Amino acid sequence: MTNAPIIPLTDNHQAGRRVDLSSGKYLKLWQGPQHPGITGNMSLELTVSGDEIVDLRTHVGYLHRGFEKLMERRTYIQNFPIVCRICVPEPDFNEYLYAATVEELAGIRVPERANWLRNLTLEMARLASFLQWIGGQTGAFGMGVIGQWGITHRDYVLDLFEELSGGRIYHMYIIPGGVRGELPEGFEERARAVLDKVENLLGDIERAMFHNAVFKDRAKGLGVIPREMIDSYGITGPNARAAGVARDVRKDQPYLLYDQLDFDVVTASGSDTYDRAWVRFQEIHQSLSLIRQMLTRMPKSGPIHTQLPNPLHWKIPAGQTYRRAECTRGEYGYYLVSDGSGYPRRVYVRGPSYTHAVALMESMAVGANIADVAGLMVSFHTYPPEIER
Amino acid sequence: MSLKDILSPLTVWRRTAEKPYTVIDPINDRPGAARYRGFHKNDMEACIGCGTCETICQNAAIDLVPVEGIETTNGDSGLRPQIDYGRCCWCALCVDICTTSSLTMSNEYIWVDTDPEVFRFVPGAENKPWDNSELGYSRAEGYQLLDPERVEMPELEPDTRLTSFIEMVQGYSAEQAKKEADRCVECGICMAACPAHMDIPGYIKAIRENDINGGLALMYQTNPFPASCGRICTHRCEEVCAINHTGDPIAIRWLKRYIADMADESDYQAITKTAEPERTEKVAIIGAGPGGLSAAYYLRLLGYQVTVFEAQPHGGGMLRYGIPEYRLPYDQLDKDIDLVASLGVEIKYNTRINGLKESNGPKESDGPGSDGGPAPSFEQLYQDYDAVFFSTGLPDPYTLGIQGEDHPRVISGISILEDVTAGKTPDLRKSVAVVGGGNVAMDAARTARRMGCEVTVLYRRREVDMPADEEEITEAKEEGVKFITQAIPVRIEDKPEAKGEQAAFVWGEAEMVDQGEDRRPKPVLQEDKIHTDLFDTVVPAIGQGSSLDFIPEDMAAKIGIIKYKIKVGLHGETGEPKIFAGGDISNRLKDAISAIADGHRAAKGIDRYLRENQSKKETS
Amino acid sequence: MPDTQYSEIIDFALKREKEAVQFYTELEHIAQFASQKELLGEIKGMEQGHVKILENLKTKSPEAIRVERVPNFMASTYLVEAQPAKDMNYQDILIIAMKREDRSHALYEELLQQTENPELRKIFEMLAGEESKHKRFFEDLYDKYVQPDN
């Protein structure tokens, strides 16, 4: 189990087809789409021999809402409340990237303070999302209590989002032109208190999760992504960094204020479930640091929004652009095409989950144990809503 | 596997002693944050039912519906937003774009009911527990979707203005016009307030889309005086503009002017092509003011043979003789009139209708007909034409009615304006007192300033009560006109030493006496506070009356005259089926756009009358 | 004999109102144009209404009289009396009407000053109030139609 054979994608599929179900040696098993975890919005079709997986097919489509298509029939401002829904746990990256593409094509400059506030919410989103991921990763390995701590602390971050934006899940805070509101009175103190609380928790998580014989035993060596797969599969984010590839949009193509903030790209070398978790764990620490830096350094006042043309008849000059950002799971991108009308000609959302949850998962699961499938899936940190736009 | 990895997780056991994180009673213990986007609230008094919330809602969760107790009024559609919580996504764009800031959200987020119908409701109309909640989402300071600031209109500096009668408002550039047009939310509240119900959102859209031709055609559907109205319209539309509630109203008038300015010959020709087949019926129109020419335009479009009779040597009525050139240049007025004439409308100038059969000789002003023959009488028109429309306006200035008004240095405001239009120089001399606070008073005062006079306006009430357009008052002040308000005229005296060369104007200070709600306070003379000021000229401009002497008595009885006003129906019809009327002699608003609307409606009324007549003839 | 006095006074007032009706009828004859005649006819109609009210009062006891007083805003005090003429305009006719009501009002005020009898005072007060109400009505018309700009 520990050293699963690396089977190139095509061979793997052919191997699956070679399986003779009538031989009685194999069993088909479905995991999902009713699986209660974050992976459960899609389904995995497992072919097992004993409890070893010999083939895995992914099935998506259970969550398809057609957002990209919906957006072609809505004005630029009307799409603003839609984009956050594309990735439920990390709405802010969608809000930011949508705004950034629109602003670029429309030639709108965003005030400096709005950029700080945008950057702040993106790191808060990273923090919230990772805390939720801890829930998934530990839960999948039978350590649900740790997961509850993570979810609880995520809620403290959501409290901050709620007072800042008026919503816990769908923040709808970053809007073309800037942001929708100032920091509420006393926000900084409350934010710092939450950061301290989370930091305190991280010590416990480190002891209970990363220095835990059970977790180590199950996670180490599970789903090792070979270095050479990283580029050929288009793998990004912690999944790539755990394989020793120092790839991070925040450093490679800095946006917002990342070039002014102090942080290093976290990497590891094991490229297995454990190392991926470790990279993410370090990035939670990093996020705490980034948020603290921003709270200290951001200007205390200034405009938060640029007057847009009347959004009811807003037309954007013809053109196209692709903007990207580093979300918790890797490169997130928005491709926007305008034909000069009041409606986007095409919006394409590039999320990391498609690569990680479909192609990568089908390759990496073969040879794994049924009981590890969920843990392996979570170790790629994928969100099906963002696969099925 | 190290021993540390077995022992380490045990160190977190202390967390079992912690209290639960869960909120035990979220309904009571967990209110939404101060700016939570919860259930909607709507201030029913502030809301005008403009429907912009409905327009922006990407979920189509909002419908504008009639609500009991909310009346449709000028500036209020009478509708209110109904929100369907089966569709709403609580994005609050409706709140952000609300033109009146009436729509907000409470921080309440729990609403349980077994009846699914209740979740479609009209906030503010149906009492909800969160209606008075002070917390909840509202548009933040420093963030707005609608631009509250009007694009500034380039104008001549006051000093430059005073040197000539050059038009002071210079007009928008294409870029400025588009920027201003962009601010419109297309709610259409303005259309209802416009007496002519012009398709204002339509022609503003045409500007945004660079479709001058389309915009011009749209304007001509309801108003054949776009170049004039684009300059001097009383713009009732702007007063009710939705944007006016939290910012500057859209500069609707200036945008209208922009289209008229930009339209070229071919744009105008495109409009004239819409004329219907010729008809044989003849219609006589008395008065070539906006009302008469509007009726003429629409009747001619319907194919009728139209003749307009005008006492003055030029058309336009009060637009020409009551409004100075610096507000409405004659060439712009001529542009509007020429288009009407170019359709084949015959306009007989210098032709005052003489209506008195047994009059004591013709009045001095009764000119001959333009063809040299005698001017026709009202009865003749009645006999010779299939229908008659008259819109003769209010040409006669009322006097102050006080002692000494026959002083030689008293000249009425309207006669000054008429003189200037006719190319004559009114004898104003140096110090001028203008009495009144309407547009005629402002125009007379500003004209006098341009002729080098020192001008003081005396008005009975307060400045807020002045019926003149606000901008006329502001501009008059910029141009150095002095204002004395709450000044009641008492009498005019001739000082022995002035020998008729100067008038001593005696006036008293007024005390404003409250008349209760909805009624403006009355100025009451304080007899112990009387002042006397010497002026070279005193100019009364307090009001004007109709001159209906040309209507013979028997005809008048049929037509229906009440308090010197013509009683008309919806389409300008009078008590006499063949006779229609409109404009200042019949309507309440007494402005150009109302007269234009009257002319248009009368054209429809006359068309209907003539068609009915024709079908009667055919069937009999 | 208060009763006699009461009806005498009402008769006196009635006579004045009838004179007014007569006055406006004469003006109608002088007037040349339909618009003048229409307005005069309307005012005459109002005076006829006043006659009716006074006639009704005759059958009532003085106790039933309601006194209603309107403040004098002096809106017509400084206006010059217009002379009946065939070319009277709206303004002229309104000034004539206001001045007439003003004089009637002044008359009853004076009669009021001359008597101590509380019942008579009440009647004069009532009549003065009525006349000032009528004047007020014309003043309002004058404000609205003749000098809307002042």
Side-chain angles (χ1 to χ4, degrees):
Chain A
M1 170 195 110
T2 45
N3 285 311
I6 306 151
I7 307 165
L9 188 61
T10 48
D11 291 355
N12 180 25
H13 275 210
Q14 280 158 12
R17 285 190 199 100
R18 278 201 300 273
V19 166
D20 178 10
L21 284 174
S22 62
S23 68
K25 287 185 191 166
Y26 305 103
L27 194 67
K28 280 272 188 192
L29 197 63
W30 286 76
Q31 180 176 312
Q34 301 88 359
H35 191 266
I38 203 124
T39 56
N41 297 131
M42 58 186 278
S43 80
L44 306 176
E45 180 192 356
L46 309 173
T47 308
V48 293
S49 172
D51 67 352
E52 187 186 328
I53 291 153
V54 297
D55 186 37
L56 181 142
R57 305 283 186 84
T58 51
H59 293 271
V60 294
Y62 298 98
L63 201 57
H64 185 69
R65 295 140 299 170
F67 284 132
E68 290 176 355
K69 208 70 197 162
L70 285 178
M71 289 168 77
E72 292 168 14
R73 293 286 180 274
R74 279 163 168 75
T75 62
Y76 283 97
I77 200 74
Q78 287 182 324
N79 283 325
F80 146 78
I82 285 188
V83 291
C84 53
R85 293 170 161 75
I86 289 175
C87 182
V88 187
E90 296 176 17
D92 312 84
F93 294 98
N94 293 275
E95 292 178 11
Y96 162 65
L97 287 170
Y98 176 69
T101 52
V102 167
E103 286 154 3
E104 185 185 321
L105 291 186
I108 287 164
R109 279 182 63 87
V110 175
E112 195 198 351
R113 183 157 168 80
N115 274 335
W116 281 95
L117 292 167
R118 285 178 170 193
N119 211 148
L120 180 73
T121 53
L122 291 191
E123 282 308 316
M124 283 167 58
R126 190 182 315 279
L127 184 59
S129 181
F130 274 146
L131 289 168
Q132 186 176 15
W133 160 82
I134 285 177
Q137 189 68 80
T138 52
F141 286 134
M143 302 183 288
V145 174
I146 302 171
Q148 288 168 14
W149 302 340
I151 295 290
T152 296
H153 283 72
R154 167 181 179 255
D155 258 286
Y156 292 133
V157 182
L158 298 189
D159 283 348
L160 295 174
F161 270 118
E162 180 184 336
E163 64 166 305
L164 175 62
S165 73
R168 297 178 72 77
I169 303 297
Y170 295 134
H171 307 139
M172 299 186 267
Y173 178 67
I174 300 175
I175 194 164
V179 294
R180 269 173 127 188
E182 256 300 344
L183 295 180
E185 192 78 22
F187 181 86
E188 185 183 336
E189 292 81 70
R190 288 189 294 279
R192 286 187 191 278
V194 170
L195 300 181
D196 292 347
K197 223 185 274 193
V198 171
E199 188 156 42
N200 180 282
L201 173 76
L202 292 183
D204 281 358
I205 287 180
E206 186 169 347
R207 283 187 286 278
M209 180 175 169
F210 290 95
H211 300 300
N212 184 328
V214 176
F215 182 66
K216 274 188 172 176
D217 190 45
R218 296 190 66 175
K220 285 213 168 188
L222 175 64
V224 177
I225 309 170
R227 175 74 185 252
E228 53 271 28
M229 267 181 83
I230 300 295
D231 280 347
S232 61
Y233 276 62
I235 292 164
T236 55
N239 292 342
R241 292 195 283 273
V245 178
R247 172 180 292 165
D248 189 323
V249 184
R250 292 177 292 179
K251 278 284 184 210
D252 302 340
Q253 201 183 59
Y255 52 97
L256 293 172
L257 298 138
Y258 282 112
D259 56 352
Q260 297 178 37
L261 298 171
D262 181 22
F263 71 105
D264 294 313
V265 176
V266 180
T267 55
S269 57
S271 198
D272 58 5
T273 298
Y274 186 90
D275 272 13
R276 286 194 285 275
W278 183 248
V279 167
R280 290 188 185 106
F281 185 68
Q282 293 308 314
E283 288 186 5
I284 300 179
H285 279 291
Q286 189 180 67
S287 230
L288 294 176
S289 155
L290 288 169
I291 296 171
R292 284 184 178 127
Q293 288 178 44
M294 285 188 275
L295 288 174
T296 306
R297 290 175 51 194
M298 73 165 63
K300 294 300 167 214
S301 61
I304 56 165
H305 193 260
T306 303
Q307 183 71 57
L308 300 175
N310 187 337
L312 299 181
H313 359 270
W314 193 14
K315 288 181 180 158
I316 289 183
Q320 47 186 302
T321 185
Y322 178 74
R323 293 293 289 262
R324 53 191 194 142
E326 185 74 18
C327 76
T328 58
R329 292 149 293 123
E331 179 178 326
Y332 211 89
Y334 263 62
Y335 174 58
L336 175 71
V337 184
S338 169
D339 57 7
S341 73
Y343 303 87
R345 177 75 191 177
R346 177 78 169 101
V347 185
Y348 171 77
V349 183
R350 191 271 180 210
S353 293
Y354 185 84
T355 316
H356 298 165
V358 179
L360 187 59
M361 186 64 190
E362 289 190 354
S363 295
M364 302 311 294
V366 174
N369 190 298
I370 295 176
D372 287 336
V373 166
L376 175 66
M377 180 88 180
V378 177
S379 87
F380 297 141
H381 197 190
T382 60
Y383 287 142
E386 161 238 292
I387 302 174
E388 302 177 36
R389 285 118 20 212
Chain B
M1 194 180 294
S2 68
L3 187 62
K4 189 191 162 207
D5 289 339
I6 293 177
L7 296 177
S8 174
L10 301 178
T11 60
V12 302
W13 270 99
R14 60 183 167 77
R15 286 206 173 249
T16 57
E18 285 190 348
K19 283 184 185 159
Y21 293 119
T22 320
V23 178
I24 304 300
D25 179 6
I27 294 179
N28 295 309
D29 298 348
R30 187 55 178 80
R35 52 172 89 147
Y36 193 83
R37 296 190 306 270
F39 304 129
H40 290 77
K41 299 180 290 180
N42 193 12
D43 180 343
M44 290 308 240
E45 294 297 311
C47 180
I48 54 167
C50 71
T52 310
C53 47
E54 183 185 23
T55 309
I56 202 168
C57 182
Q58 63 102 1
N59 298 299
I62 302 180
D63 289 303
L64 270 280
V65 297
V67 168
E68 206 173 317
I70 303 285
E71 299 295 325
T72 303
T73 59
N74 203 9
D76 185 343
S77 72
L79 305 175
R80 292 294 180 265
Q82 179 190 60
I83 302 186
D84 184 348
Y85 279 163
R87 292 182 144 196
C88 176
C89 75
W90 282 271
C91 69
L93 280 180
C94 51
V95 174
D96 291 353
I97 204 154
C98 177
T99 56
T100 59
S101 294
S102 68
L103 193 64
T104 54
M105 283 167 152
S106 71
N107 67 333
E108 188 59 58
Y109 60 93
I110 296 169
W111 182 5
V112 181
D113 204 296
T114 53
D115 178 6
E117 292 297 324
V118 302
F119 299 110
R120 192 174 62 234
F121 80 118
V122 179
E126 301 163 34
N127 289 337
K128 295 290 177 226
W130 53 82
D131 280 350
N132 297 317
S133 152
E134 282 181 18
L135 300 179
Y137 182 85
S138 59
R139 188 167 55 75
E141 206 174 306
Y143 157 68
Q144 60 205 2
L145 292 179
L146 297 174
D147 189 349
E149 278 173 39
R150 173 184 282 207
V151 175
E152 210 181 318
M153 173 55 82
E155 286 177 1
L156 295 181
E157 289 301 313
D159 289 351
T160 321
R161 286 185 227 158
L162 289 180
T163 59
S164 74
F165 281 78
I166 288 178
E167 185 171 26
M168 59 165 289
V169 175
Q170 292 169 303
Y172 279 145
S173 69
E175 192 190 345
Q176 288 170 320
K178 276 187 191 154
K179 187 158 191 279
E180 182 63 15
D182 187 55
R183 297 172 60 228
C184 172
V185 295
E186 299 186 308
C187 65
I189 295 267
C190 48
M191 286 176 74
C194 173
H197 306 307
M198 294 191 75
D199 183 358
I200 296 161
Y203 67 72
I204 291 181
K205 186 180 182 193
I207 294 174
R208 284 198 303 272
E209 297 181 348
N210 221 4
D211 178 15
I212 297 299
N213 190 303
L216 190 72
L218 214 49
M219 294 200 298
Y220 265 91
Q221 282 181 8
T222 44
N223 182 351
F225 280 87
S228 304
C229 285
R231 287 171 167 78
I232 53 77
C233 187
T234 42
H235 54 79
R236 298 171 195 281
C237 49
E238 293 180 20
E239 273 153 44
V240 300
C241 175
I243 309 299
N244 197 14
H245 290 261
T246 48
D248 306 329
I250 311 294
I252 299 171
R253 177 175 51 165
W254 300 146
L255 292 176
K256 179 161 43 230
R257 168 187 164 150
Y258 170 76
I259 294 180
D261 283 356
M262 297 303 288
D264 57 26
E265 191 85 358
S266 64
D267 293 316
Y268 276 94
Q269 275 169 4
I271 297 163
T272 57
K273 279 187 195 144
T274 56
E276 286 194 9
E278 292 287 333
R279 295 180 64 95
T280 53
E281 293 99 323
K282 295 192 300 175
V283 183
I285 289 173
I286 308 173
L293 289 182
S294 165
Y297 173 78
Y298 291 107
L299 284 166
R300 185 68 198 117
L301 277 192
L302 293 166
Y304 293 102
Q305 309 306 314
V306 183
T307 310
V308 182
F309 298 90
E310 169 58 50
Q312 299 280 3
H314 298 283
M318 277 296 162
L319 291 179
R320 184 180 303 270
Y321 295 97
I323 294 177
E325 200 180 354
Y326 59 84
R327 285 179 65 208
L328 174 54
Y330 304 130
D331 60 341
Q332 295 299 325
L333 178 58
D334 288 340
K335 188 157 110 181
D336 289 337
I337 297 171
D338 289 350
L339 180 100
V340 177
S342 76
L343 289 176
V345 170
E346 188 189 1
I347 308 176
K348 291 180 184 248
Y349 292 113
N350 297 310
T351 306
R352 184 181 291 275
I353 299 304
N354 174 10
L356 286 175
K357 266 189 292 186
E358 67 283 62
S359 77
N360 312 331
K363 283 166 89 178
E364 213 175 295
S365 54
D366 289 346
S370 59
D371 51 1
S377 69
F378 191 77
E379 279 182 315
Q380 259 173 296
L381 296 183
Y382 182 79
Q383 300 295 337
D384 296 350
Y385 288 83
D386 297 293
V388 178
F389 172 78
F390 68 103
S391 174
T392 49
L394 307 175
D396 291 352
Y398 286 127
T399 60
L400 295 172
I402 55 174
Q403 209 181 354
E405 207 178 352
D406 50 357
H407 193 283
R409 295 311 307 151
V410 176
I411 306 173
S412 86
I414 197 72
S415 73
I416 291 172
L417 298 173
E418 274 176 17
D419 278 358
V420 173
T421 300
K424 293 182 226 164
T425 307
D427 176 23
L428 294 178
R429 304 183 190 173
K430 195 71 195 166
S431 65
V432 174
V434 175
V435 184
N439 281 340
V440 173
M442 296 305 121
D443 289 342
R446 297 174 65 191
T447 295
R449 280 296 290 147
R450 280 165 174 73
M451 308 193 91
C453 307
E454 288 161 10
V455 182
T456 308
V457 165
L458 296 109
Y459 177 60
R460 268 191 333 142
R461 300 168 191 263
R462 301 160 304 173
E463 195 176 309
V464 290
D465 302 314
M466 283 194 177
D469 295 346
E470 210 179 306
E471 64 203 1
E472 279 243 63
I473 298 168
T474 311
E475 286 161 12
K477 282 183 178 168
E478 285 170 4
E479 290 165 10
V481 173
K482 277 184 286 180
F483 282 76
I484 300 176
T485 51
Q486 288 172 246
I488 298 185
V490 174
R491 63 185 170 274
I492 293 166
E493 290 172 358
D494 188 29
K495 292 273 161 182
E497 66 274 18
K499 292 188 184 115
E501 291 301 309
Q502 272 197 319
F505 186 67
V506 183
W507 57 276
E509 288 179 30
E511 185 195 352
M512 300 308 288
V513 178
D514 190 46
Q515 299 293 294
E517 257 179 70
D518 302 333
R519 294 186 69 181
R520 55 180 194 168
K522 262 210 186 313
V524 178
L525 181 70
Q526 295 172 284
E527 285 182 301
D528 55 341
K529 290 181 182 166
I530 302 288
H531 304 262
T532 304
D533 291 310
L534 273 180
F535 293 101
D536 293 329
T537 313
V538 174
V539 181
I542 60 163
Q544 287 149 243
S546 62
S547 175
L548 301 170
D549 309 354
F550 60 89
I551 303 175
E553 204 178 321
D554 54 337
M555 200 76 92
K558 282 191 231 158
I559 289 171
I561 301 174
I562 292 178
K563 293 197 181 73
Y564 280 70
K565 272 177 83 170
I566 308 297
K567 195 184 164 197
V568 294
L570 200 60
H571 290 93
E573 62 271 30
T574 66
E576 163 56 51
K578 213 173 154 174
I579 298 176
F580 295 76
D584 292 358
I585 47 164
S586 65
N587 71 35
R588 185 177 54 86
L589 297 174
K590 305 195 192 313
D591 56 10
I593 189 70
S594 304
I596 289 163
D598 285 354
H600 191 184
R601 279 193 291 266
K604 287 181 190 165
I606 291 168
D607 181 48
R608 192 172 60 185
Y609 163 73
L610 292 176
R611 281 175 198 275
E612 277 170 8
N613 246 10
Q614 189 189 30
S615 56
K616 262 184 228 162
K617 272 182 207 156
E618 281 164 4
T619 49
S620 63
Chain C
M1 297 273 276
D3 279 357
T4 325
Q5 293 225 1
Y6 170 72
S7 67
E8 271 175 19
I9 292 162
I10 297 289
D11 280 339
F12 174 73
L14 256 174
K15 199 172 145 237
R16 282 191 63 85
E17 294 294 346
K18 282 177 180 163
E19 274 169 20
V21 173
Q22 185 59 30
F23 173 73
Y24 288 115
T25 311
E26 281 165 23
L27 278 191
E28 274 186 279
H29 289 305
I30 297 171
Q32 198 175 5
F33 305 116
S35 41
Q36 299 167 322
K37 291 184 181 179
E38 183 280 327
L39 182 64
L40 291 166
E42 197 183 325
I43 298 175
K44 187 173 81 176
M46 287 167 58
E47 298 293 352
Q48 282 164 338
H50 300 159
V51 170
K52 278 226 174 72
I53 292 169
L54 288 173
E55 278 170 348
N56 287 342
L57 272 183
K58 274 177 89 172
T59 61
K60 283 192 189 152
S61 72
E63 287 76 32
I65 293 172
R66 238 166 22 99
V67 176
E68 206 178 333
R69 308 217 65 171
V70 176
N72 182 7
F73 290 136
M74 301 198 299
S76 51
T77 314
Y78 288 89
L79 295 179
V80 178
E81 176 89 57
Q83 293 308 313
K86 62 181 179 190
D87 60 350
M88 291 175 293
N89 64 12
Y90 194 12
Q91 179 176 24
D92 299 331
I93 294 171
L94 282 181
I95 291 178
I96 289 169
M98 285 190 288
K99 288 286 181 186
R100 268 194 78 86
E101 302 296 346
D102 209 12
R103 276 197 296 275
S104 297
H105 171 254
L107 172 71
Y108 292 124
E109 283 287 347
E110 204 180 316
L111 290 173
L112 173 66
Q113 299 308 317
Q114 287 170 5
T115 180
E116 297 289 317
N117 180 334
E119 243 170 35
L120 293 187
R121 283 185 66 84
K122 196 175 174 191
I123 299 162
F124 288 132
E125 273 184 359
M126 182 274 289
L127 289 168
E130 279 301 305
E131 298 300 341
S132 60
K133 246 166 66 187
H134 302 160
K135 182 184 81 150
R136 177 69 186 281
F137 174 80
F138 292 122
E139 283 180 356
D140 283 348
L141 284 182
Y142 190 84
D143 256 15
K144 197 170 164 191
Y145 294 106
V146 175
Q147 51 175 1
D149 283 358
N150 197 27

